[in-house]
Amino acid sequence: MSHLQRGLAKALAATGRWSRREANRMTADARVCVNGLQVSNPAARVRQSDRVTVDGVLTPLEVAPPRLWRFHKPDGLITTASDPQGRPTVFASLPGSLPRVLSVGRLDLRSEGLLLLTNSGPLARMLELPSNAFERKYRALVCTGQERGVTGAMLRAMGDGLTLRDQTRFRPIRAVRTPLQPAAAGHEWVRMTLVEGKTREVLSPRVAESSRE
């Protein structure tokens, strides 16, 4: 493996200690040395056998094996590393024993449920790509009133895919009622199965409005 070469920032990110962006910034800031020489080019080619230091600390270029964690995201946490509004984040709530991780997709602030975390960018990308058709399942609480309620025709329309007025295109969404699950008066639960994760796709009222037309 020592004869294989890769970019310096990419090799640092592959150790699992930094993100690619952090590795780029550290290298550009001249904090990285390779075989005793300071290197400021993030794309400089390195081998696993090279002696690399960051801020004077030896950093073996060993690729961290991909790992996956399951995290139950509660209501009220935002899925981001930092929030300008100061809201609590998923990553700030994680135990300190975890390595640097990233989320596979996101859940909105008010959503709760399973959120996958991984130390591997390529694995996260593979799971997120709609072309790989990994299913995401949600429960959504919807209205049942005559004027604004969700109808069977609307749910069936989602199964054909939707194009909104702003030309946002959604792939087919499989949506079925779950009448045996209790809900507040005037509401019911709908189980939705998606193969993509566009922003607020489940929560957006635009999806229901489009299927109503």
Side-chain angles (χ1 to χ4, degrees):
M1 295 295 292
S2 63
H3 67 282
L4 297 179
Q5 296 188 21
R6 64 172 67 192
L8 176 56
K10 185 175 181 179
L12 289 171
T15 67
R17 298 181 59 183
W18 301 280
S19 68
R20 184 73 173 271
R21 181 179 299 177
E22 290 169 334
N24 279 327
R25 185 167 55 248
M26 291 189 310
T27 308
D29 290 344
R31 296 167 53 192
V32 182
C33 291
V34 179
N35 299 325
L37 300 176
Q38 192 175 78
V39 178
S40 58
N41 178 10
R45 308 300 287 178
V46 294
R47 296 181 176 87
Q48 189 172 339
S49 59
D50 287 332
R51 181 181 175 86
V52 177
T53 60
V54 177
D55 296 330
V57 179
L58 182 64
T59 304
L61 297 182
E62 298 176 351
V63 178
R67 299 179 63 188
L68 201 62
W69 289 265
R70 293 175 298 176
F71 176 75
H72 180 83
K73 180 200 162 308
D75 183 352
L77 292 185
I78 188 168
T79 312
T80 186
S82 61
D83 180 55
Q85 300 180 39
R87 293 171 294 183
T89 71
V90 165
F91 297 99
S93 70
L94 298 177
S97 58
L98 280 184
R100 186 193 67 84
V101 296
L102 59 155
S103 65
V104 179
R106 297 170 181 264
L107 288 177
D108 295 289
L109 178 68
R110 305 304 303 183
S111 298
E112 60 179 289
L114 175 65
L115 181 67
L116 294 179
L117 306 172
T118 179
N119 64 339
S120 170
L123 176 59
R125 183 63 176 160
M126 182 192 72
L127 294 172
E128 290 174 343
L129 278 175
S131 59
N132 290 329
F134 287 104
E135 291 187 345
R136 302 144 170 86
K137 296 185 178 181
Y138 301 85
R139 283 194 313 149
L141 188 63
V142 301
C143 295
T144 57
Q146 292 184 353
E147 293 186 4
R148 307 297 295 178
V150 172
T151 67
M154 293 168 62
L155 298 183
R156 289 190 294 274
M158 292 180 187
D160 296 327
L162 303 170
T163 300
L164 306 187
R165 294 190 185 96
D166 62 4
Q167 298 305 305
T168 299
R169 174 68 182 171
F170 291 98
R171 290 174 178 243
I173 301 171
R174 190 165 70 247
V176 295
R177 287 187 165 93
T178 54
L180 298 181
Q181 293 181 314
H187 296 77
E188 66 177 340
W189 288 103
V190 172
R191 184 177 297 275
M192 305 176 69
T193 303
L194 300 71
V195 294
E196 63 180 350
K198 290 184 178 177
T199 302
R200 300 183 66 81
E201 183 167 0
V202 173
L203 296 182
S204 177
R206 298 182 305 159
V207 174
E209 287 298 328
S210 179
S211 61
R212 188 187 302 275
E213 296 172 352

